[in-house]
Every structure is written in C-alpha cells, then in structure tokens.
C-alpha cells in the first residue's frame, strides 16, 4: 500500500510551547487514519501544517510522494472548521456557492448530496437541518472537488448522539468509495469504531502508531499460576522471547505478550520445562485503560 501522506520529524513551537515534537507518521492509501490525543496534544497543529495553513518549525511532509503544490492541494478535501453556510438558503444553494468559490462544476453537486445522504432534503433551508445534517453538508462541501483524501478535524464535536452516529457512518461509507480519510479526535471510542489506523499523540509527541487492531491487541494481559512456585514461573517467563513484561500480582504472574502471540504458546513453553500451569487467564484490557497507558508511557 502506498503512503498518501508521509510526515518526517515535524516540529512546531509557539513561543515556550512545543506543540509538536519530531512527529513522524505515514498514512497508508485507503486507510481511515485517526490522530488521537487529548486536547492540546498537537492534532490541529499537525493538520494545519500538512494543509499548508500553519508553518512548521522543522521537519517535512509529502502528499502522494510529492512536496505540497497546487496540484497536490487539489487532491485533498478538508474540513478544519465549520463552514459558514447561509441559514436561509437551501443545502443545495449553499453547495452551489461553495462550488463557485472552489471553481468546481455544479454538476458535482447532485452526486455529493447523494453521498452525504441529503439528496431528499436538498431543497430545505439549512437552518432547518439537524446538527448531523449540517455537519454532513459541511463534509459534502469538502467533497465537491472529488478529492482523493478527506481531512477532518474533530468531525463529531458538538453533535448529538444521532448526529455522531450519522457522521461516523458517513465517514466509513466515504472510505468505502476508495478515499483515504485522516481525522483528528480526542475520543478513543470514535477512533476505535471508525479508524483502521491510528497515531496517538500526547504533548506533541507520538506515543504509538499502527493499525488500530494491533495497537489494541498489543495490550492484552495474561495471568498464570500453579505448577511451580511463583519465583520459578517468573524466572522462566523472563527468558521467553514473546513475553515483553512479567510481574507478580496477587499470587499470580501478570504477563504482557508480544502482539500476535497466542497464549497457548505460554502453556507449551512452560510444559517443555516440565511445568503444567494450573491456570492461564487472558484478560482484555478496557480500551480506556489502554489509551491511558499509551498516553502515560514515556515511549512506546
Ligand atoms: N496559535 C497558537 N499560539 C500559541 N499556542 C498555540 C497556538 N495554537 C496551538 N497552540 C498550543 O499548541 C498546543 C497544541 O495545540 P493543538 O490545537 O494542535 O492541539 P489539539 O490536539 O488539536 O487540541 P484541541 O483539540 O484542543 O485543539 C497546545 O498547547 C496549544 O495551546
């Protein structure tokens, strides 16, 4: 898979604030890439830099394997702030105005309205739209130029639960049409539900990145006990190449395994040393606790 966006060592300083610190990430083509981090972690700054509205202090980025230019910009649609639509005009009329500003043919409008699920409401005034419909129209405006990539900053902020569900579904369906989507969010739940890949930021630093499933899978815990004294189990566990962490907890041994390790390998490894484990329990950590650990960790 080619990389749509390649960010290398991006840094941004605002006076005393290091908003971004040597960020390096690659966004694969066709992914829904989530930039996840608490408020102030540098997500908007990152999007602003790669959209060429904020200057970086250091580092580089390339879109489609090229430095940014008019032609790369035409291939990117972005929604950083809610656009100012006219309340007394219809959804369709508002898109016509946006199309004129962007010098896009009006012939694109019916298809865009269809994509964002507003074709049947195209003649209704914007002010009568629900919050979710307003945001879908905004996403439609970003799609007018038929971009290959859609960049969204906190796309569900301020929406009601229904609007959140509509917008998340829309993002997934746009990606299904072959577009790459990059979105910033402070909601772990959102990234987990919508994204295929993620980068976790804290205080401008990258804490983890990769496919959402492998980041989440990397943090399951295994508890073992029995068959031998805890000390012996600990000694053996520390020699196993697929065990990344081992420590005694409440008369059991708590282990963290390398991603994609099957816990049955543990049974086999101990058995080969003459120990039949009395108990082996895999506990999935809650996503919240994984996220908190990732953003707490000094490095991942
Ligand atoms: N124009 C600016 N001047 C000074 N400091 C800024 C400016 N823009 C952002 N910052 C600071 O840079 C850091 C990163 O901000 P940024 O907006 O990129 O984070 P974020 O993850 O998008 O958070 P949020 O969701 O709250 O916008 C924060 O400490 C913020 O206060």
């Amino acid at each position: 898979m080619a990389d749509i966006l390649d960010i290398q060592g991006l840094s941004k300083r605002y006076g005393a604030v290091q908003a971004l610190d040597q960020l390096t990430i690659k966004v694969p083509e066709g992914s829904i890439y989530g930039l996840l981090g608490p408020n102030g972690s540098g997500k908007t700054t990152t999007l602003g830099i790669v959209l060429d509205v904020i200057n970086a202090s250091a580092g580089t980025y390339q879109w489609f394997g090229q430095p940014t230019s008019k032609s790369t910009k035409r291939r990117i649609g972005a929604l950083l702030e809610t656009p100012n639509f006219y309340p007394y005009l219809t959804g369709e009329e508002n898109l016509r105005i946006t199309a004129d500003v962007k010098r896009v043919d009006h012939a694109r409008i019916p298809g865009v309205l269809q994509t964002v699920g507003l074709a049947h409401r195209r003649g209704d005034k914007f002010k009568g739209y629900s919050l979710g419909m307003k945001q879908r129209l905004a996403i439609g405006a970003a799609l007018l130029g038929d971009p290959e990539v859609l960049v969204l900053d906190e796309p569900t902020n301020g929406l009601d639960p229904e609007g959140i569900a509509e917008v998340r579904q829309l993002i997934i369906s746009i990606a299904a049409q072959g577009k790459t989507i990059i979105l910033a969010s402070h909601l772990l739940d959102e990234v987990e539900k919508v994204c295929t890949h993620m980068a976790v930021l804290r205080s401008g630093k990258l804490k983890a990145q990769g496919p959402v499933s492998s980041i989440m899978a990397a943090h399951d815990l295994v508890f073992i006990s029995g068959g031998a004294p805890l000390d012996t189990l600990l000694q053996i566990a520390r020699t196993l190449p697929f065990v990344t962490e081992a420590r005694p907890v409440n008369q059991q041994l708590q282990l963290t395994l390398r991603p994609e390790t099957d816990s049955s390998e543990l049974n086999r490894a101990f058995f080969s040393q003459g120990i039949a484990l009395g108990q082996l329990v895999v506990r999935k950590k809650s996503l919240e606790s994984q996220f908190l650990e990732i953003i707490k960790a000094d490095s991942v």
Side-chain angles (χ1 to χ4, degrees):
M1 225 195 287
D3 291 318
I4 287 280
L5 172 63
D6 185 355
I7 296 178
Q8 295 288 335
L10 216 53
S11 296
K12 176 68 184 179
R13 184 174 266 285
Y14 293 105
V17 177
Q18 187 76 45
L20 266 191
D21 191 1
Q22 304 249 356
L23 178 70
T24 293
I25 55 175
K26 287 171 189 287
V27 176
E29 186 177 357
S31 60
I32 306 182
Y33 199 100
L35 280 181
L36 174 67
N39 289 341
S41 56
K43 306 178 298 291
T44 304
T45 301
T46 305
L47 297 184
I49 292 173
V50 299
L51 292 169
D52 207 19
V53 294
I54 297 175
N55 290 323
S57 309
T60 58
Y61 62 92
Q62 288 203 324
W63 285 100
F64 318 104
Q66 301 161 31
T68 194
S69 67
K70 267 193 180 151
S71 82
T72 59
K73 283 183 188 174
R74 266 199 293 274
R75 298 162 71 181
I76 303 164
L79 181 58
L80 288 196
E81 286 165 13
T82 313
N84 288 321
F85 288 122
Y86 294 95
Y88 291 98
L89 296 184
T90 66
E92 187 171 27
E93 287 164 343
N94 270 295
L95 284 190
R96 275 197 216 125
I97 291 172
T98 314
D100 289 343
V101 173
K102 294 187 171 188
R103 295 170 199 275
V104 170
D105 197 326
H106 287 190
R108 285 270 312 145
I109 294 172
V112 163
L113 285 166
Q114 194 73 40
T115 300
V116 299
L118 288 174
H120 64 299
R121 301 292 302 269
R122 66 183 187 280
D124 294 350
K125 287 190 174 43
F126 178 76
K127 70 181 175 75
Y129 282 4
S130 69
L131 292 172
M133 290 164 73
K134 287 177 175 167
Q135 183 67 337
R136 285 190 278 135
L137 190 72
I139 293 174
L143 288 172
L144 277 171
D146 196 16
E148 291 162 54
V149 190
L150 188 59
V151 179
L152 305 168
D153 194 5
E154 301 277 2
T156 62
N157 246 14
L159 299 185
D160 49 10
E162 199 184 337
I164 291 173
E166 286 171 20
V167 167
R168 288 181 181 169
Q169 195 47 50
L170 174 61
I171 292 169
I172 292 168
S173 72
I174 293 169
Q177 294 174 5
K179 296 191 193 296
T180 304
I181 295 180
I182 301 171
L183 68 87
S185 175
H186 65 286
L187 302 171
L188 171 66
D189 169 62
E190 176 151 291
V191 169
E192 207 259 333
K193 283 198 175 111
V194 174
C195 297
T196 57
H197 294 69
M198 69 198 269
V200 184
L201 295 181
R202 195 193 61 161
S203 306
K205 286 195 172 69
L206 181 68
K207 292 293 171 187
Q209 85 161 314
V212 170
S213 55
S214 69
I215 289 186
M216 294 314 178
H219 293 83
D220 287 347
L221 292 179
V222 181
F223 293 86
I224 59 172
S225 59
L230 218 49
D231 278 356
T232 313
L233 297 183
L234 183 61
Q235 271 174 14
I236 295 174
R238 286 190 167 150
T239 66
L240 300 175
F242 53 84
V243 173
T244 54
E245 198 195 331
R247 59 192 176 99
V249 176
N250 299 336
Q251 308 304 314
Q252 292 186 310
L253 205 54
Q254 174 189 298
L255 307 175
T256 309
L257 306 186
R258 269 191 205 294
E260 269 133 64
T261 306
D262 192 313
S263 55
S264 63
E265 281 183 50
L266 265 181
N267 260 332
R268 280 199 293 278
F270 280 97
F271 200 72
S272 71
Q273 309 224 18
I275 296 170
L277 292 174
Q279 201 180 20
L280 187 158
V281 177
V282 180
R283 187 183 305 157
K284 301 240 171 244
K285 280 204 211 170
S286 78
L287 294 174
E288 257 68 24
S289 68
Q290 290 174 37
F291 177 50
L292 288 175
E293 278 183 27
I294 290 172
I295 63 170
K296 256 194 273 160
D298 286 326
S299 62
V300 173

